[in-house]
Amino acid sequence: MAHRLVDKLSGFDSPQQRQQSQKMVIFGTIFLLTTLLILYSSNSGNESYNPRNGYRYTVHTTNLKAWANQDGYVAVYGNKTMNLHCKQCALVTSSSHILGSNVGDDIDQAECVIRMNDAPTTGFEKDVGNRSTIRVVAHSSVYRIIRRPSEFLNKTPDPVLIFWGPPTKISKDAKGTLFRLIQKVSMAFTNLSTFIIAPKKMRQFDDLFHKETGRDREKSRSWLSTGWFTMVIAIEMCDSIHVYGMVPPYYCSRRPQPKRIPYHYYEPRGPDECTTYIQNERGRRGNHHRFITEKQVFARWAKHYNITFSNPKW
Ligand SMILES: *[C@@H]1O[C@H](CO)[C@@H](O)[C@H](O)[C@H]1NC(C)=O
Ligand SMILES: *[C@@H]1O[C@H](CO)[C@@H](O)[C@H](O)[C@H]1NC(C)=O
Ligand SMILES: *[C@@H]1O[C@H](CO)[C@@H](O)[C@H](O)[C@H]1NC(C)=O
Ligand SMILES: *[C@@H]1O[C@H](CO)[C@@H](O)[C@H](O)[C@H]1NC(C)=O
Ligand SMILES: *[C@@H]1O[C@H](CO)[C@@H](O)[C@H](O)[C@H]1NC(C)=O
């Protein structure tokens, strides 16, 4: 085929035409090579885009139980070490799917109850329970936690707070306002155990995301969500996890569209959940979370570890 094309191009033409044809062939070759190069480089994260199934990638599943290491968490005050182990955990998400569920008592029966950021229990006990053993908090939520000590700092006997954030903002060495604030709080509420995810471990969280999704967190201009940190920490410390209020990965692309519900159960006037997920997933600039991509990974982890999802069940 290619031979015939070259024959045709060079066969009966005048020298001028032949020169032009050769130019075209050269241009064509350069174009083809460039295209291949672009395709190749966009492929370098072991991912390729398929319009039907979205991103497909070679998965490198990490054994999160072996991945866990205690020195990944730095105690803010005192000489506490993070050596929590729970047989059975309830991971309560902040989604409004939990409203009206009446599962508060079930949640409280779990050995450890894990919550995120400033999700309150007061006023929502019937649906979310009233115990909080572990709370995973984003650097951006620190102020909201500290503003309400009676809700977040001394409500339950011995709560554990784990803070995550960019090491430049939150680590001990950064000596920034955020670290000093967390330190002050840890000294004032001695029953509290506060930890900050160590810089080294923060990088491991990024690497984990890259390995599991084929996408580089920084290059794809996104942030890991508190949900990502919380799920990994839960897998590290819990033999079994019951997740309350998390939708499956493709929930928001269902037709007909799911009904609109607030993103957070405690912010009834807040943004719609699916709108938030989809906008974040598509966002190409700025501080986006890949909520849907993360859930695809969670769905895979659920096959390796003892994780069940309810409200909705999947
Ligand atoms: C792609 O996967 C291979 C293993 O299959 C790995 O060695 C390589 O580092 C990966 N490439 C990238 C860019 O992640
Ligand atoms: C560390 O904690 C242990 C047990 O809680 C205590 O016995 C020990 O004195 C502490 N060490 C320091 C340096 O505070
Ligand atoms: C909350 O705490 C109280 C007292 O500890 C307990 O009696 C109650 O059953 C708990 N659960 C709910 C869902 O309110
Ligand atoms: C702090 O812990 C002690 C001992 O575990 C307990 O008796 C006390 O009630 C706790 N204080 C608060 C405010 O929870
Ligand atoms: C998973 O956890 C549940 C609740 O703790 C337990 O009943 C069940 O036996 C576990 N399943 C496996 C396969 O370990």
Side-chain angles (χ1 to χ4, degrees), residues 38-257:
I38 290 169
L39 279 177
Y40 175 76
S41 57
S42 74
N43 220 11
S44 60
N46 282 333
E47 77 182 315
S48 59
Y49 193 74
N50 174 323
R52 273 172 67 95
N53 309 319
Y55 284 94
R56 292 177 63 85
Y57 41 81
T58 318
V59 172
H60 307 281
T61 297
T62 303
N63 180 351
L64 290 175
K65 298 284 185 189
W67 190 76
N69 57 332
Q70 282 176 12
D71 57 0
Y73 304 93
V74 181
V76 177
Y77 179 68
N79 68 357
K80 291 163 178 163
T81 47
M82 239 297 269
N83 50 4
L84 266 174
H85 173 247
C86 316
K87 286 199 174 65
Q88 200 206 345
C89 294
L91 196 170
V92 187
T93 70
S94 305
S95 163
S96 307
H97 284 283
I98 199 99
L99 291 177
S101 64
N102 238 329
V103 291
D105 284 325
D106 290 346
I107 290 172
D108 284 335
Q109 271 164 29
E111 184 186 342
C112 297
V113 181
I114 307 173
R115 300 184 195 275
M116 292 185 249
N117 292 326
D118 57 329
T121 54
T122 304
F124 301 97
E125 292 88 344
K126 231 163 72 70
D127 295 330
V128 306
N130 57 19
R131 290 177 51 232
S132 310
T133 339
I134 298 142
R135 198 174 272 280
V136 181
V137 181
H139 57 108
S140 50
S141 293
V142 171
Y143 291 102
R144 267 170 281 171
I145 292 289
I146 288 170
R147 257 205 311 260
R148 293 170 67 191
S150 59
E151 179 67 40
F152 299 118
L153 304 178
N154 58 0
K155 193 175 191 185
T156 34
D158 300 294
V160 175
L161 292 188
I162 300 170
F163 294 93
W164 73 267
T168 49
K169 282 193 175 166
I170 210 173
S171 81
K172 220 168 193 157
D173 305 324
K175 295 193 173 61
T177 335
L178 267 186
F179 178 78
R180 283 204 301 272
L181 203 60
I182 295 169
Q183 200 175 29
K184 245 187 222 163
V185 166
S186 319
M187 286 157 85
F189 298 90
T190 45
N191 276 26
L192 207 60
S193 300
T194 40
F195 296 95
I196 288 177
I197 299 182
K200 183 166 156 254
K201 181 116 181 168
M202 283 299 297
R203 278 194 299 278
Q204 285 182 323
F205 273 101
D206 279 348
D207 292 346
L208 181 67
F209 182 77
H210 194 168
K211 269 194 186 157
E212 296 283 339
T213 66
R215 300 166 86 175
D216 185 280
R217 200 247 336 140
E218 254 175 311
K219 279 188 203 140
S220 74
R221 292 166 182 274
S222 50
W223 287 106
L224 300 174
S225 75
T226 300
W228 175 266
F229 289 98
T230 309
M231 184 62 91
V232 174
I233 293 169
I235 294 172
E236 278 184 21
M237 68 166 80
C238 313
D239 293 341
S240 74
I241 306 164
H242 189 147
V243 183
Y244 293 87
M246 185 183 286
V247 297
Y250 295 106
Y251 177 82
C252 292
S253 47
R254 278 183 195 168
R255 294 292 174 270
Q257 278 176 345

